[in-house]
Amino acid sequence: MVDITLRVNGATCTGSPEARKTLADFLRDDLNLTGTHVGCEHGVCGACTVIVDGRAVRSCLMLAVQAADSEVTTIEGLAPDGGLGTVQQAMWDSHSFQCGFCTPGFVMQAVAFLSDHPDAGEQQIREALSGNICRCTGYQSIIDGVLLAAERSRKR
Amino acid sequence: MAGIAAERYTGASIKRSEDPRILTGAGRYVDDIKLPGMLHAAFVRSPLAHARVLSVDVSAARALPGVVAALTGAELEAMTVPGPDPLMALIGGAGPTPEFTLLATDKVRFMGDPVAIVIAESRYVAEDGCELVDAEYDDLPPVTNAAFALDPGSPPLFANLGDNIARPRSRSEFGDVSGTFADADSVVHFHIDVHRHQNVPMEGRGCVASYDASLGVMTVYAATQSVHVSRIAVATRLGIEHDKVRVLADDIGGSFGLKIGASREELAVAAASRLVGQPVKWVEDRSENLTASGQAREESFDVRAAVSNDGDLLGLDVKMVIDTGSYPGMGTMVPAIMEAMLPGPYKLAALGFESTAVITNKASYVAYRGPWASETFVRERVLDLIAKDLGLDPVEIRLRNVAPRTDPPALMITGRPLVGVTSKESLERVAQLVDFPAFRRRQAEARAQGRYLGIGVATFIEAAPGPRSPEGPSGPMGMEFMRLRLEENGIVALFTGQMPHGQSHQTTLAQIAADEFGVPFEQVRIVVGDTDVVPFGLTGGSRSATMTGGVALHGARQLKAKVLDFAAHLMEASAQDLLITDGNVWVRGDPASAIAVSEVARRAASGQFGADVDAKLEVEATFDGGEGGWSGGTHCAIVEVDVETGIVKVERYVAAEDCGALINPAVVEGQIRGGVAQGIGAVLLERSAYGEDGSFQSATFMDYLMPTACDVPRIEIEHLETVPLDADVNFRGVGEGGMIVAPPTVVNAIEDALSPFGVRIYEQHLPPARILELIAAADSGQ
Amino acid sequence: MKLPYVEYEAPTTVAEAIDLLAEHLDQASVLAGGQSLIPLLALRLARPAVLIDINGIDELSGVSATDGWVAIGAMTREYVAEKSESVADTVPLLAAALPLIGHEAIRSRGTIGGSLAHADPAAELPAVARALDAEFVVRGQSGERVVPAAQWFEGYLTTSRRPDELLLEVRFPTARRGTGISFQEVARRHGDFAIVGLAASLVFSGGVISDARLAFAGISDMPVRAAAAEDLLVGERPSTELFDEAARRATGDVDPPADLHGSSDYRNTVAAVMVRRGLRAAADNARERQ
């Protein structure tokens, strides 16, 4: 067991995970933040994507202990006071999702990507999201949501 | 306010009510469930494809700190009721059934076959415990292909069956097969293979089982397409009365046919939870999902086609073999559906069909979105192959063969009437949307530059639910039930046995009910996922648009009539003079009379009324599918094949589809696109690969390749004007169509791209290496 | 797919890390980015007794340019190297390969040193390092040594790093005037490992190829230089016939592995295609860079 302190969604959290526990499992089990989903546990599907110290990462490929003293944002931490952020709202408006299991990973990856590439076009967005797997939608509605979010952010 | 006409929700892409929770991480999937004292299960799985189990020693696992229990297959059999595969028992498969144990006992029959279950404080410790289980095996020769399974010399996987035939060869004939073939201008032969691939929902199988010994009640939180079917499976196997089993389901991360009933592992978890007296959770990891949850589509076809010199497809004679894997389940029933569907929307005059289902040392064949899809693959490939031989264009040959819409409707040679089928219109529409002559010019220019573009089309129909039949409800799996109730607070609640797992029922059914009843969309609540509360039902078979949409429509109408009868008392008016719009009940012509629906409900619940007034504002509705109908369409793909590397890109994809009236166009389009993506995945990327020794080789996402946002293009969808068949319910199902027709669409396009090389394609899986092999083989004249 | 039990150490200095490596030797795995190691642990294919997490050793990160070389600290994240102007300007072949590594989230954590110490023969960075004759600086208890790329890669997932040594940095030579580069790969999907990949670097002087480096990913158990093709190219002017012949020579004596994604023949065929396309692209790139 390793004692860690970290900030998650703006709040200071502590825990004593085993070193082998992934950040994904720590978030879900120890902090009860079950919005981050586990889809493959070998870093391919992207469902577990969270933002650590400003970068989108696969939380199944980080040990919880490696997130000590970091700033972590999960899907639960995106929206102010229970509302929806720009990306989330645009995805709702675009019918982006169906079963919703891949959704948190896509949202977090899209948020991270757009903050670095606010003017990205469709092909760039597709490449940026090609590391997230969705089985339900065929991706077009997700891409449309991200394009809409980018457009709305630019208008502000 | 009274006087404002209600918005019409049906037909509009209303935003989903599921999304606020989905988009904020507030969904509740089975792995999100935590119960006090909950333990975690993991399975020890066979590393061998076929072996006798000599011993399974769980003592070291039991001794590991944190492990609460470890059970072998034999121990689980002793605490459950022996019987056949519960899903098979429910559907009613013909013929002798193989032995069915929850975990392997004396034999393992596929790599990944579970042999022991370990229950521990965490999944981490449960997996540690699994590593300490000592299982000894005696290797047996594996049966890894249909040819060997058909050989009477192959070692039988099941002693009680004696051989590896799950369903003996059966033959049917429709029309004059021998005459049609004898008289045809030519008879051509093809052998066509479809490869093994699988559902791969992003959420695997799983459940949390919790047994309350004092009440004798087993509660299972499931990921399932039907809480009631799961309940039957659990109750039967565990020997618990049905009404003492409660199955609950919340959000489900996709299924595509996988999560129906209860798998062996889920039943084992339920039995184990009863034994240990604490809730037990099991959620399969991706390796388990790929290796053990089940696979689909491994079918081969010997096809003879009777053809006229002008391109009429007169008859088909098909011999099919389906590889149903090791614990044959619903796979044995797929050939019958294929046989019925093989003629498609065409004027086929004769069909001979025979099929054999074989048992092999692979994971079980399970239902995967459009389980009968290979009939469309075979038929649409055959049409293209014939067209090439005769120098006909793929749209032309289909238009020639498609049955015209007549009254009375043409009958498929296998019996069903092609009522309301718009296949011809869909072909014509695709030809308009995709300028074929312009493409052919571009194709020629590209070839001159050494680039290979191709175009392919394919047409299909789907019984979603299928036309009205004299035998009974047109829907697959029977009548649809719904309970509708006006709650005290004015909410119109619909209780349905549907179990949405991406289908957006929470939204679409509310659209229909809101329109019929006269309340705002937000005033309707869809209740699913609790066997104590919802009627029997199942989501699958592309049924819900018609069956559930229909029962919601008629049920809302019936509830409204009841509410108006009651309101008539309150308002001292005649029910016929009352309207409900925008959540208010009012007397026609007198807007000031309006009372909120919620007020009417409150009054009804107040208990002030005597027996002469029916204040119970609830109805039980049923729907048999009405006139039913077909869904279908034509898809078209334009691809580019890099003939030096074999890499295929889908450049453009167009779908002209007819699924009747649309409840929510965005939902319909999402279903189509998702299905098409799976079809593209099947052709270019996905294969459940077994070695000759039966070892499973695609157990991670690094080997089982899923299509990504760079593999699936924009899919242009055109909704055709449909033929209404029913006075009220013309919604037809659309869940499976994309996955049924996309594979032949893409393969037809690839063959067209490679036609300068003389390539002919008789298979569905075309990874880059295979493309180069096909080109090389054609070059060398094979 | 939960990780097995491991002991965990998190040194904060290179000296501490080396002491730990010396203590545990083959029983330890170094945890850098974790993008390769953690999946192996999750699948329980890797079973170290101890994880030595070097993410806390700040001195291991950084990109610095010196006299003809760019030195990249082993813990430098791939995304940092991707954004580095120094790398973009002076090691263009590395800059071309970096965006092909997995996906952005992988590059958020994955490190230059980690990828090169893991030495997956289908990965992009080993081919780049081999093409450019990069140098690997390792330090153990017996001191520091510099290993040229030709000696660094020894076999499948095997390098010449001794169990008690820590990879400190990798040095890439800066591109000379007249350089043209390309990184080609055939992958099943965007971001996947290469089925076959080619790192190519040509130097032109007066229109003549004065230096040629070709290193393959995916056709062997480690990155391999196409020496016979390189020899052919030096001293010649670019032409289709020259590049075709180079492709033949590059694939003449390779025996690529076979797996689910391609047979040995397929990889052979594609390797030749990569050479033709890579050389053309490198020649074009040389013209652009002028």
Side-chain angles (χ1 to χ4, degrees), chain B residues 463-483:
Chain B
R468 181 161 201 72
S469 115
E471 282 105 38
S474 48
M477 301 161 265
M479 295 282 272
E480 185 75 4
F481 305 97
M482 182 175 277
R483 183 157 53 90

Side-chain angles (χ1 to χ4, degrees), chain B residues 123-125 127-128 131 285-288 642-647 649 684-687 689 697-708 710-711 765 767-770 772-773, chain C residues 1-5 35 39-45 47 103 185-193 195 244 259-263 265-267 269-274 276-277 280:
Chain B
R123 176 68 185 229
Y124 284 78
V125 174
E127 290 190 14
D128 295 343
E131 288 191 317
D285 62 34
R286 188 54 62 188
S287 284
E288 292 181 281
D642 180 336
V643 299
E644 292 191 312
T645 62
I647 296 283
K649 283 270 164 251
L684 300 181
L685 295 167
E686 300 179 42
R687 186 164 77 99
Q697 299 172 340
S698 29
T700 71
F701 274 158
M702 288 169 298
D703 289 313
Y704 193 94
L705 302 178
M706 301 281 280
T708 72
C710 284
D711 300 304
H765 189 57
R770 186 64 188 139
L772 294 197
E773 279 173 14
Chain C
M1 287 168 64
K2 302 302 185 192
L3 281 67
Y5 183 78
Q35 307 301 281
L40 289 174
L41 289 166
L43 289 163
R44 300 198 174 201
L45 294 173
R47 305 303 298 255
H103 301 279
E185 70 176 29
V186 171
R188 295 295 297 275
R189 301 166 305 178
H190 183 263
D192 282 350
F193 280 105
I195 301 180
D244 285 350
D259 66 13
L260 217 52
H261 304 299
S263 61
D265 277 344
Y266 174 72
R267 284 188 159 84
T269 304
V270 172
V273 176
M274 295 293 94
R276 285 196 296 275
R277 294 183 182 178
R280 234 183 351 256

Side-chain angles (χ1 to χ4, degrees), chain C residues 117-136:
Chain C
H118 183 62
D120 190 320
E124 291 82 3
L125 294 186
V128 169
R130 193 69 183 84
L132 297 179
D133 287 321
E135 294 185 344
F136 294 75

